Every structure is written in C-alpha cells, then in structure tokens.
C-alpha cells in the first residue's frame, strides 16, 4: 500500500480540535416538533413545492420536486401536517428568509411506502433521475446535485473515482464517525457510483489523523468484489478540498475553469456515498445526515439529524453553556455565522460550531498589507491574494478577474497566515458577488435596450403604416370621387350611404386593431403570466358580481 | 423582425456612441434630458452633453464614462435628479381603468393589457423609469423598491479601515 | 465578520521583531570592530523614528498603538543607522530618519503603501545633500590608534568638543571610497588593495560585518520571514556583474569577492532589498528584482558619482516593481487562462 502521493502547493496547519467530538458515539437526535425544510438546499434551481398547506405528509414523502436538470428534490423528514409554505429563516449568512416548507410533526414518524431500486437493471439515465428525485446532493459542503455529477457525459466513462474522506476542516468529525461506523454502506454507495461512472480505479483519500476511519474503511474494502484503495493522505488544510485531494492522490491539477471529469476524475464525499446507498438499497430519500455539534458545548459529539431540525435543539442536546458568542455552520475556516439558532439543519450542515470568547477570541484589527506574500505561499489555488485584495478593495474587479479571482476556493488560508490580519476572503467574496451583480445588471440593461429599440422600431413602423394607409385611402377617395363624377347620374344619397358604410368599416377595423396593442412579441412565459392574471381578474369580477344572498339567508 | 434587425445593424454604425450606450443603465427614463439612453449616448459621443446627467447610472456610471472617454469624473448633476434604489412599477389592479395611457408611455413595453382591461407590469422587464406614473389618470401606479432576496444578496465591502474601527471602539 | 474565524500566530510585529533580532549579530560585530558609537546612532535613530511615526499617525488621524507597536518604524531606523557612517553627526541621523519616516513612509500612505524603501530614501537624500559627512567613517578599531569610548562617541555624534587630532585619528575612508579614489588617481586595483583598509575580502572589519549580516539573513530565511529569491539574486547580480568586469580588466575593476563583502551588500541583500512593501511579490519577479539591484549596485559603484550604489540600486528597482510584478504573474492552480468569464 505505498501509493506515490503528491503535494499540492500552499495550505496551513490550524489546530485540529477533532478529539473533542470524535470520542463519543453517534446519537440519533430526537424528532423535533417542527421541521422547516428549505426548498433551496442545493446548488441550482430551488425545488418546487408539490404539497399544500394542511396536507398530511409521511416520512420520506416528496414535498418539493426537482425543477430542471441542475436541481434536487426535498422530502418530508418525518410524518406530520404541512403548516406553512413560504419564506422562513434559513441558514444563510445574510439572515434573509427563503422559501421553506414547515411541517408540524405528529410523532408517529410514519414512513411512506418505499422499496430498494434494482440499480443494476436500470438505465443509468433513469437511475440518475431517481437519485435526483430522492434528493441526493453532495454532503461535503457544496451540495451539488449528485445526479449531475454521476453523469459521465460525452466521455461515457470516468476512469478514476475518488471518495473524499479528507475532512480537513478543524473541529468537524462527522465524516470520520461515518467512516468508522458505516464503512460498508459508504462502499455500497461507491459501488453504485462506480457503476454509473464506469470507473476502473477507486481511491479513498483519508487524512492520516483518522486512523480508526482508515482501518474501518480498509476492512470494509477487503470484502468487496472490486478493488478499492484506501489511501492515508497527510493532514493539511485544505487537503480535503476536491481539487487538492485530486492532486494529492494523482498529481494532476484540474484545469482552471474546467471540471474534474474533464481529466477523467470525479470526487464524492463519503457522506454522499452513504446517502446514495441508503437511497438505492433502502429506497430512503436524503432526509437525515450526521452533524457534528462541537465547540463551546458540554458534550461535543455527532448526531444523526433529520433535515429541518432547528439548530437550537441540537445545541441543547449537546449541552449548551453560558458564554457562547455565536454559532457557525461548518468549520472555523470556511463556516458561515448563523443569523439565529432557529434556522434548520440542511443538507449542507456538516457541523454546528458554538463559539466562545476563549475558543475564538476576537480577531485582532487589520493592518495594511505589507506585501509579504505569505498569503501567496499559503494559497492552494496558487493565486496572488495580496493583489486580489488590492484590486477588490479598490473596486477594480476587472483586474481582480484577470488575476483569477474566480479560481479562489475561499479556503481562508490566506487570511489565516496574513500577519496584518486582513480578512482577505471577505474581500474576495465581496468582489465575486459584485461581479455577479454586475453581470445581472448588464443582462437586465441589455434586455431593456433591446426592448426599447424594438419599441422604437414598432412605433416607427406603425407610424409608417398609418401614413401609408392614409395615403392609400386618400387616393382611393379621390378615385372614388372621380368615378362618382364620371357616373354623374347617380343620386347623392347613394354616394353618402357608401361613404358612411366605408367609415363604419374603418372604425370596425380600427377597433379590432386596438385590442392587441403590445401583446404581440411576447415570450410564452409572459403570455402565460398575462393569462393567469386575466383569469384572476375574471374571478374577482365574478365575485364582485355575485349576489350577496348567502349572507342574507341565515 | 427582419426590419428590426436592420435597424439594430444601422445603430451599430457609431462605435463610440455604442460603447457609451453599453455603459448607460438602459432605464430609458429620460432624466438626462434626452428621449432615452441611446440619444444621450450619441449626444455624449458628439460632445454635446456632459457625462454626469444620468441619475440611474449613479456616480459609478459617471466614473465608467469618464474612464471610457479619458476625462475627469465629476459628481452627478443634481439638476437631473438623484439616484434612487432600484424599483419596479406596480399597478393596483383594482383601481386601473384600462386606459392604455401607461402602455404608451412605457419605453420597454413592460406593461401588458389591452383597452378597457386592467394592466399589469411585467416586473422582469420594468426598468423602473417612472415614465408611466404621470400619464395614469387614476394614479394607480406606484413604484415598489425591489426587495433583497437570497439569490440577489451581495456580500458587503468589508470594513477594515483602521480609522473607522477605532471610532467604533471609541463609541462603545 | 465571516470566515475564517481563526488566524495563525504571525503578526506584523512578530515579523519586524525577527528582522530586528536578525540584525543583532551585525550590531554586535559592529560594536566589536568599530566601537560602541553605533549604539548611540541606533538609539538616536530609533527615538527619532518613533517620534516621527507618532506625530505622522496623529496628523493623519490614525490610531497610534497598532502602528507604533508593529516595529516597522524601528526597522527602518536601524537599517538607516547601519548604513550611515559610524560617528555620523546627530543632525545627519535625525534628518535622514525624519525624511525616511515622514516623506518616504507616511507621505506615500504609511505602512504598506510606500513605493520606495524608506531607509534607502533617507540614505539617498543624505548622500546627495551631505556627501562629505556621509563618507567620513570611523575606521575599524584594528586600524585606529585610540578607540573611542561610548561617551566619546556620543560626544562626537552630538558635536561635542572632541580634539580634532583624536577625530582625525579615527576617521578614514571606507574601502569603497579608497578604491574609488585610488582608481581616479590612476592606480590599479592591485596597488590599491595593498592598503590596510582592504583586509582579506571586503575590507578590514567590514568583511566581518558582512558575515554577521549574512548570518542574520540566513536566520530570516530559515524562519521563512524572507524568501531566498531576492538575496540570492542580489548576491548573484553583484558577483556576476563584478566578476564579468573584473575578468575583462582586473586592473580597473574590483574583484567580485571584494564587492560581495564590501560594506552594505549583505545588509542590502538580506535586509533592505527583502523589504516586502517596496519589493516585488512574485517569485520570478523577486529574482529579477534582486538581480537587477545587484547589477545596478556594481554599475553605480563603478561608474556612478557615489562610492556605494546599493541604496540607489534598490530605489531604482523599487520603481520598476509594478512592472516586474505585472509581467511575472505566476501560473495559477490549473492552467492559467486569461479573461475567464465569471460563472454565475
Ligand atoms: S499575507 Fe497579508 S500582509 Fe502579507 S502580502 Fe498577503 S495580504 Fe499582504
Ligand atoms: S481563500 Fe482564495 S486566495 Fe485565499 S488562500 Fe484560499 S484560494 Fe487562495
Ligand atoms: S437618465 Fe435615463 S434615459 Fe438618460 S441615460 Fe440615464 S437611464 Fe437612460
Ligand atoms: S412599467 Fe413604468 S416604470 Fe416600468 S419601465 Fe414601463 S414605464 Fe418605466
């Protein structure tokens, strides 16, 4: 077992803090009274609700359907009544609400009928769609719909499948515990992945600070009918990043702006493999996951948590303590601060880290950049963070992009080493979201320009048409009069009648023309929208015209 | 449609005006004193207008124009109005009498409806120019600021200026 | 404030403290070889720098504490002090330090913003304005009859009443000066090198000083406070350029070893050219920066109007840093592709 390993550039060694939580066994978290299930838990289009308020749902029932290719379904994590569909607090740093389905649980935890899939017999495309509809998304943090990643695409097969058990973020141990306790199921999921991707080589990368997990995975791998190489990799943050794991294990780098499948490698988190196995072998959609609750709590440990469980319930379970100064979702390097503790656990929640002043002292004030380039030495993306910082701070987003801002993986190594303590990553996030906003604005402006120009053109055309029509009419009239004059015998009344008839016809024509006004050149969606509005109006009109009898009857 | 593309093609004749037009926000509100962004762009290209007359573009727009034209940026000319938060028009469907006056005013055909029927704004297309407000005889159109939602949320510029930090500390 | 929520232990103060620590061997050797006068110079420069820093911070509305404790002003002061002639008069020290801190550092925007190395700006201003005082060095103790005590040195520095004879007995031209003067008088290098001031490599005493700075520099490198690129390229620039000239006409150009160990090259290579703020930031850029500075040092030493060229060489290279950085952007992870559209 001596595979040649490669070292990626940069990286840091923050204190690991794994021992706090990895010593206790995994506990199932109790069923909460209320489950709040966000429709946007994955990258891509949010799921579309398919249940109504007041409806009773069963555990595992589809409540939000995937909407499009890059999307993912969401399911009821337990049985109960849907009490609300609409904006609710979600675990996002902004604190802005997002659409969620709220379920009042009935305590019966009653499963919907479910059965294993005969995955070997299924068409790969069908199997992928099933996985999408079972809500399988990457559990390593990015929550990308797995069905998309399991599509080898035009290449037809993806020779190398890497299973990522790196878990390089300090404090987090959920993948560690999952590998220790459910190695068989993880590898069962890996078998399905391998089948879908047509991989010939399966590597499991685990940081060498998790010897129990490595042993458990090796044991499980020994009993498989295909070769799986479990490779301990040196513990260095962010060695568990997909690109870093690929480089460590294969020595290859994913080209900038490309996907790993372009070089024939696909990476999945161990948790995703486990969820996949549950889905295929048991027919269970993704409704639960392991969550590390650690930091400033009495009993830091891992829980098996239903998606939608409020975070405060877990913190209470782990024993909340005085002096907490905030809660992070994720680890200290890349985690996001939670706006409140009422937010639910989602598919992306790998860790709930309670901060305290001792564990996370406030960061010292930032000094100006002294261009020492320690950040560049630490950057695993091999960027020049100090330059990105300079451009982002000055609002020079064009230059920031030239310096590969979008290759930054926001790992935080640069901020970690910066002697001036500059919150560098904040600047990159700010610059990225500004650039995206600008792109959006530009698209909106382009749309407006186009529509405006089209309108100008339409007005122009209408004017011209009108003028032409008028001219034609005038001519016709002149000809008519001339004709009348030649047929001098005709009585006056007759001519008048003809004129009136002509005017009437004109008015009619005009009326017909007025109706559509600007309803031509509409996209089908807009057309649809208008129709909806019309029906709504019709309803209102109807209601307004209805006699008030029912109320008078009693 | 063919005729329309011909127009677009023709329009691309003046490259400088084209570049300026690309910077203008395309709100088409006319606050600059021209009947739309394009005429304003042409006027700037010809040197007949200042670069600081477009409130929807804001100071940033002025800065970009200055950069493009290689001149010093200047503050927005207040005579043309001040920038406002981005909004879209909203028609109170119960009050609307279906007079079509707003339809005729909208520069981007963002209002749909027909004579004697109530009208609706297509929020995605509305630029927030407010041109539909004055013609409405029953004042049923209001401007609603676009609420911030998750997909449009932006990270703020981090505040790390030592001067400011110190002041904050002094305040607490 | 979003992630990361933890940071490493490094700080600007720590970096600067290590730089100062690495200068200590040099200071020690200085005292041993040239007498304790340097201690007076260092203290005076330090006090002046801190006072100037505090005043400028106040004037610019910045909090004093984080910037005064970052030690960067002291590093500037020490680098300038170590570049000045020993026993330079107090007003020379004060003027140079003030210029370095007030103009070269703060008028350019303070810590991290200065384009030029402040210490070298101070030095350059002094040598242009006061060429005579800037070339009067107290010679190495080995060669002077009566070494000055600390008190005597202080008296000399502060313009006290020191018998002229004593002073004349201790001041002499530096090796570089001697070489320059000698060459101007049409002597060959070999003839000049027989003077006692020249020692083995870079001049009596000076070569030990250079070795001490080399040791301190290696310490900084071992601690990863400085990279290897700038010092190595700097020394290579000096050595190759000097070697090239010496190879062609050994009579007119000093030997490469002499140039390496002559005053200020080691200090320049490890402590001044490695100043991160005013130096290049990319690995290749640093090689170019260092080599350029080394090359220019010899060019200026040989053909310039001043005996030493380190300061001007570094300042010239400071000027070209933006250009160097821009054209030496390293390749990023994965293939570097220019102008990639943002994913949304
Ligand atoms: S580590 Fe910090 S101070 Fe050093 S170059 Fe990077 S941003 Fe600047
Ligand atoms: S956050 Fe971005 S710039 Fe900083 S070290 Fe990570 S990848 Fe590099
Ligand atoms: S003021 Fe209005 S019409 Fe004029 S350029 Fe700006 S957005 Fe366009
Ligand atoms: S709907 Fe009103 S505010 Fe919106 S673009 Fe049209 S005229 Fe302007």
């Amino acid at each position: 077992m001596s595979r040649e390993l490669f070292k990626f550039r940069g990286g840091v060694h923050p204190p690991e803090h794994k021992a706090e939580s990895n010593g206790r066994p995994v506990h199932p978290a109790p069923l909460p009274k209320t489950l709040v299930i966000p429709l946007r838990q994955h990258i891509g289009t949010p799921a579309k609700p398919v249940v109504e308020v007041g409806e009773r749902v069963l555990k595992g029932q589809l409540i939000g359907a995937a909407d499009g290719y890059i999307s993912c379904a969401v399911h009821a994590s337990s049985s109960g009544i849907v009490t609300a569909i609409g904006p609710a607090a979600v675990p996002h740093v902004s604190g802005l609400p997002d659409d969620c389905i709220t379920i009042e649980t009935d305590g019966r935890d009653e499963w919907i009928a479910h059965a294993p899939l005969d995955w070997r017999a299924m068409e790969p495309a069908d199997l992928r769609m099933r996985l999408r509809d079972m809500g399988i998304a990457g559990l390593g943090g990015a929550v990308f719909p797995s069905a998309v990643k399991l599509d080898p695409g035009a290449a037809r097969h993806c020779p190398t499948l890497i299973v990522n058990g790196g878990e390089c973020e300090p404090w987090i141990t959920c993948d560690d515990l999952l590998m220790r306790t459910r190695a068989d199921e993880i590898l069962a999921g890996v078998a399905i992945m391998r089948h879908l991707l047509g991989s010939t080589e399966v590597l499991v990368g685990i940081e060498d600070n998790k010897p129990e997990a490595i042993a458990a995975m090796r044991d499980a791998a020994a009993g498989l009918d295909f070769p799986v190489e479990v490779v301990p990799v040196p513990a260095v943050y962010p060695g568990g990043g997909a690109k870093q794991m690929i480089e460590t294990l294969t020595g290859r780098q994913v080209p900038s702006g490309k996907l790993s499948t372009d070089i024939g490698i696909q990476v999945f988190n161990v948790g995703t493999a486990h969820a996949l196995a549950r889905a295929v072998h048991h027919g269970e959609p993704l409704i639960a996951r392991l969550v590390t609750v650690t930091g400033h709590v009495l009993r830091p440990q891992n829980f098996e948590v239903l998606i939608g469980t409020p975070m405060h319930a877990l913190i209470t379970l782990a024993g909340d303590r005085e002096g907490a100064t905030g809660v992070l979702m994720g680890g200290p390097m890349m985690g996001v601060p939670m706006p409140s503790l009422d937010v639910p656990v989602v598919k992306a929640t790998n860790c709930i880290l309670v901060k305290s002043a001792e564990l996370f002292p406030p960061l010292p004030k930032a000094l100006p950049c002294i261009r020492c380039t320690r950040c560049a030495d630490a950057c695993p993306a091999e960027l020049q963070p100090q330059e990105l910082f300079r451009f982002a701070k000055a609002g020079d987003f064009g230059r920031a992009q030239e310096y590969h801002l979008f290759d930054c993986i926001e790992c935080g190594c640069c901020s970690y080493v910066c002697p001036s303590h500059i919150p560098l990553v904040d600047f990159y996030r700010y610059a990225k979201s500004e650039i995206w906003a600008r792109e959006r604005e530009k698209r909106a402006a382009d749309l407006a320009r186009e529509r405006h120009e089209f309108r100008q053109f339409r007005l122009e055309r209408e004017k011209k048409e009108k003028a032409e029509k008028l001219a034609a009419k005038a001519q016709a009239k002149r000809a008519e009069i001339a004709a009348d004059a030649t047929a001098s015998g005709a009585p006056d009344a007759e001519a008048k009648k003809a004129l009136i008839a002509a005017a009437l016809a004109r008015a009619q024509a005009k009326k017909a023309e007025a109706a559509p006004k600007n309803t031509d050149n509409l996209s089908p969606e807009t057309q649809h929208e208008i129709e909806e509005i019309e029906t709504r109006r019709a309803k209102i009109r109807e209601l307004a015209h209805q006699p008030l009898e029912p109320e008078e009857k009693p | 449609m063919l005729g329309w593309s011909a127009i677009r093609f023709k329009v691309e004749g003046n490259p400088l005006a084209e570049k300026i037009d690309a910077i203008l926000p395309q709100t088409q509100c006319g606050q600059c004193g021209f009947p739309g962004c394009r005429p304003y762009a042409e006027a700037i290209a010809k040197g007949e207008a200042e670069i600081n007359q477009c409130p929807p573009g804001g100071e940033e727009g002025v800065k970009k124009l200055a950069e493009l034209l290689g001149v010093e940026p200047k503050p927005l000319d207040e005579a043309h109005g001040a920038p406002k938060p981005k909004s879209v028009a909203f028609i109170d469907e119960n009050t609307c009498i279906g007079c079509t006056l707003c339809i005729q005013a909208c520069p981007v055909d963002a209002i749909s409806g027909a004579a004697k029927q109530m009208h609706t704004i297509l929020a995605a297309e509305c630029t927030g120019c407010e041109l539909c407000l004055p013609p409405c005889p029953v004042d049923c159109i209001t401007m609603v600021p676009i609420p911030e939602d998750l997909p449009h949320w932006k990270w703020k510029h981090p505040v790390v200026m030592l001067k400011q930090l110190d002041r904050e500390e002094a305040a607490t | 404030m979003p992630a990361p929520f933890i940071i490493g232990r490094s700080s600007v103060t720590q970096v600067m403290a290590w730089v100062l620590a690495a200068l200590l061997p040099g200071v020690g050797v200085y005292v041993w070889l040239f007498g304790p006068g340097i201690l007076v110079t260092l203290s005076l420069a330090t006090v002046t720098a801190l006072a100037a820093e505090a005043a400028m911070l106040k004037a610019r509305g910045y909090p004093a504490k984080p910037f005064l404790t970052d030690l960067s002003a002291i590093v500037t002061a020490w680098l300038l002090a170590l570049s000045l002639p020993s026993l330079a008069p107090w007003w020379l020290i004060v003027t140079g330090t003030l210029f370095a801190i007030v103009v070269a550092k703060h008028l350019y925007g303070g810590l991290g913003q200065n384009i030029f190395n402040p210490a070298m700006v101070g030095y350059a201003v002094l040598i242009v304005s006061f060429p005579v005082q800037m070339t009067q060095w107290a010679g190495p103790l080995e060669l002077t009859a009566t070494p000055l005590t600390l008190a005597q040195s202080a008296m000399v520095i502060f313009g006290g009443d020191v018998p002229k004879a004593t002073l004349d007995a201790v001041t002499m031209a530096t090796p570089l000066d001697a070489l320059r003067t000698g060459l101007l008088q049409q002597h060959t290098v070999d003839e000049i090198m027989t003077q006692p001031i020249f020692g083995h490599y870079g001049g009596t005493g000076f070569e030990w000083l250079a070795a001490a700075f080399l040791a301190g520099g290696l310490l900084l490198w071992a601690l990863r406070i400085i990279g290897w690129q700038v010092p190595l390229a700097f020394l290579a620039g000096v050595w190759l350029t000097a070697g090239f000239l010496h190879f062609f006409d050994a009579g007119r150009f000093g030997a490469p070893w002499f140039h390496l160990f002559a005053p200020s090259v080691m200090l320049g290579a490890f402590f001044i050219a490695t100043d991160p703020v005013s130096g290049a930031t990319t690995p290749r850029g640093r090689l170019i920066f260092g080599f350029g500075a080394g090359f220019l040092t010899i060019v200026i030493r040989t053909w310039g109007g001043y005996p030493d060229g380190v300061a001007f060489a570094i300042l010239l290279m400071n000027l070209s840093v933006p250009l160097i950085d821009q054209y030496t952007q390293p390749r990023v992870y994965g293939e570097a592709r220019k102008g990639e559209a943002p994913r949304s």
Side-chain angles (χ1 to χ4, degrees), chain A residues 253 256 332 371 381 416-417 436, chain C residues 5 8 10 279 331 333 335 343:
Chain A
Q253 291 195 339
S256 162
R371 294 166 41 95
Y416 183 79
V417 297
W436 284 324
Chain C
F5 297 87
S10 73
R331 138 197 189 290
Y333 179 101
E335 255 144 45
R343 297 159 221 145

Side-chain angles (χ1 to χ4, degrees), chain A residues 14 243 247 252-257 328 332-335 337 355 360 363-364 367-374 380-384 386-387 399 401-404 406-407 412 415-421 423 425-426 429 435-436 439, chain C residues 1-16 63 66-67 70 110-113 223-225 275-283 286 321 325-326 329-344:
Chain A
K243 289 180 172 182
E247 190 170 2
R252 301 171 70 189
Q253 291 195 339
V254 181
S256 162
L328 303 181
M333 294 299 285
M334 292 183 77
K355 296 196 296 172
F360 296 91
L363 303 185
L367 286 172
C369 167
I370 55 167
R371 294 166 41 95
C372 65
T373 66
R374 289 181 171 212
E382 302 176 27
L383 304 173
Q384 297 282 303
Q386 80 281 5
E387 304 285 13
R399 292 295 295 284
Q401 259 171 287
E402 265 173 47
Y403 278 64
H404 305 279
F406 282 93
D407 281 310
S415 306
Y416 183 79
V417 297
C418 176
S420 285
H421 311 310
V425 190
D426 290 12
R429 292 194 183 115
I435 292 169
W436 284 324
E439 285 281 310
Chain C
M1 189 175 283
F5 297 87
I6 47 174
I7 50 166
R9 274 185 297 275
S10 73
S11 68
V12 177
T13 309
Q14 181 217 36
V15 171
M16 296 295 172
F67 284 104
D70 71 15
L111 178 69
Q113 308 294 315
L223 290 166
R224 296 290 179 274
I225 291 194
D275 166 30
V277 176
S278 53
T281 53
T282 64
R286 286 183 167 160
V321 158
D325 274 354
Q326 191 175 342
Q329 277 307 307
R331 138 197 189 290
V332 304
Y333 179 101
E335 255 144 45
R337 217 160 34 108
K338 287 268 165 196
E340 192 196 337
R343 297 159 221 145
S344 49

Side-chain angles (χ1 to χ4, degrees), chain A residues 449-457, chain B residues 4 8 11 21:
Chain A
R449 181 185 298 116
E450 216 163 274
R451 288 183 70 90
H452 182 61
E453 275 167 11
F454 179 73
R455 178 187 153 88
Q456 302 290 87
F457 166 70
Chain B
W4 178 51
R8 272 191 67 81
V11 147
D21 195 38

Side-chain angles (χ1 to χ4, degrees), chain A residues 12 34 40 52 88 129 135 196 246 310 323 454 483 489 521:
Chain A
V12 293
T34 320
R40 190 199 308 271
E52 308 254 326
M129 283 308 104
L196 280 173
I246 290 175
F454 179 73
N521 183 46

Side-chain angles (χ1 to χ4, degrees), chain A residues 94 365-366 393 423 429 433-434 438 440 445 449 451-455 457-458 515 518 526 533 537, chain B residues 4 7-8 21 26 60 104 106-109 111 114 118-120 125 152-155 161-162 166:
Chain A
S94 66
K365 282 181 208 167
K393 189 165 157 229
R429 292 194 183 115
S433 72
E434 277 298 321
R438 264 157 223 217
R440 277 200 300 271
R449 181 185 298 116
R451 288 183 70 90
H452 182 61
E453 275 167 11
F454 179 73
R455 178 187 153 88
F457 166 70
R458 182 170 58 80
N518 68 347
T526 329
I533 290 158
R537 282 172 172 157
Chain B
W4 178 51
I7 283 193
R8 272 191 67 81
D21 195 38
Q26 306 302 324
E60 209 184 297
Q104 288 157 39
C106 179
V108 292
D109 289 345
I111 308 179
M118 279 164 287
H119 300 343
T120 308
E125 263 99 56
H152 294 103
W153 178 81
K154 288 197 291 189
W155 288 91
M161 298 297 99
L162 273 155
D166 233 49

Side-chain angles (χ1 to χ4, degrees), chain A residues 108-130:
Chain A
R108 277 187 267 169
D109 213 22
E110 197 177 320
W111 265 102
I112 196 165
H114 57 290
L117 304 177
D118 185 8
W119 56 280
R120 282 186 208 272
M122 283 173 84
E123 268 297 306
D126 293 344
L127 181 52
R128 281 194 291 270
M129 283 308 104
R130 287 289 294 149

